[in-house]
Amino acid sequence: MRVLGIDPGTRLTGWGVVEAQGPRLRACAAGVIRAGDKRPLPERLEKIEAGVVELIEAHAPAVVAVEDIFFAKHPNAALKLGHARGVVLLVAQRAGLPLHEYAPALVKRTVAGRGGASKEQVAQLVGALLGLQSLPSVDATDALAIAVTHLQASRARTRTLGKR
């Protein structure tokens, strides 16, 4: 199974493609969609939409996994993040891909063993887990962590169903 993980943001949207090959996980690609700092929000959302469409076409994922909304200190930042997430949800829906959402604390627990891990700790552990020679940006490693979380959750569901 190939998963496109997305860490949405209105300036930088991290993405990572992870593939399960039996018990092993392999990072296929990772990066960021740079929507820019100075552009008006609608232009940034359009850039995110075009980038996610391009990623789906280029990597042919079976599923999209996206970070769920979290409670931010600044309500305006949370609202803008919601706009970016909405674009990702719409693109996945239009592509006919299943979409799964994961809370940031669950992603951190899955990869780092605890929900309060820093972005840098998550990046290091994702790199070790996937055998990366060099680490992409923390936005990209967050997206890889989201994809890994989906694959681990899928395996857990399969094991649970197999026991019934």
Side-chain angles (χ1 to χ4, degrees), residues 59-101:
H59 297 286
V63 63
V64 175
V66 65
E67 190 170 76
D68 205 351
I69 290 179
F70 62 93
F71 294 101
K73 287 187 237 181
H74 306 289
N76 195 30
L79 285 171
K80 286 182 180 176
L81 175 63
H83 292 310
R85 284 187 76 256
V87 167
V88 173
L89 300 179
L90 179 62
V91 171
Q93 178 66 30
R94 283 187 175 159
L97 293 172
L99 180 98
H100 297 270
E101 301 170 75

Side-chain angles (χ1 to χ4, degrees), residues 18 107-108 110-111 122 126 130 140-150:
V18 178
V107 173
K108 290 177 181 183
T110 300
V111 174
V122 169
V126 164
L130 297 174
T141 53
D142 279 354
L144 289 168
I146 294 162
V148 166
T149 298
H150 176 73

Side-chain angles (χ1 to χ4, degrees), residues 2-21:
R2 181 176 282 198
V3 178
L4 171 60
I6 301 203
D7 180 24
T10 56
R11 294 182 300 124
L12 297 172
T13 291
W15 62 272
V17 179
V18 178
E19 191 171 74
Q21 298 175 330

Side-chain angles (χ1 to χ4, degrees), residues 37-79:
D37 293 341
K38 306 282 189 238
R39 295 178 184 191
L41 181 60
E43 287 181 24
R44 288 184 273 158
L45 296 175
E46 184 177 47
K47 177 96 171 161
I48 294 165
E49 185 262 348
V52 176
V53 166
E54 189 175 305
L55 291 170
I56 289 170
E57 289 172 356
H59 297 286
V63 63
V64 175
V66 65
E67 190 170 76
D68 205 351
I69 290 179
F70 62 93
F71 294 101
K73 287 187 237 181
H74 306 289
N76 195 30
L79 285 171

Side-chain angles (χ1 to χ4, degrees), residues 18 25 67 102-130 132 135 138 140-153:
V18 178
L25 300 179
E67 190 170 76
Y102 296 95
L106 175 61
V107 173
K108 290 177 181 183
R109 268 196 313 277
T110 300
V111 174
R114 60 187 192 90
S118 71
K119 280 185 167 286
E120 291 74 21
Q121 289 170 320
V122 169
Q124 290 296 322
L125 291 165
V126 164
L129 179 68
L130 297 174
L132 300 177
L135 293 178
V138 291
T141 53
D142 279 354
L144 289 168
I146 294 162
V148 166
T149 298
H150 176 73
L151 288 165
Q152 300 292 34

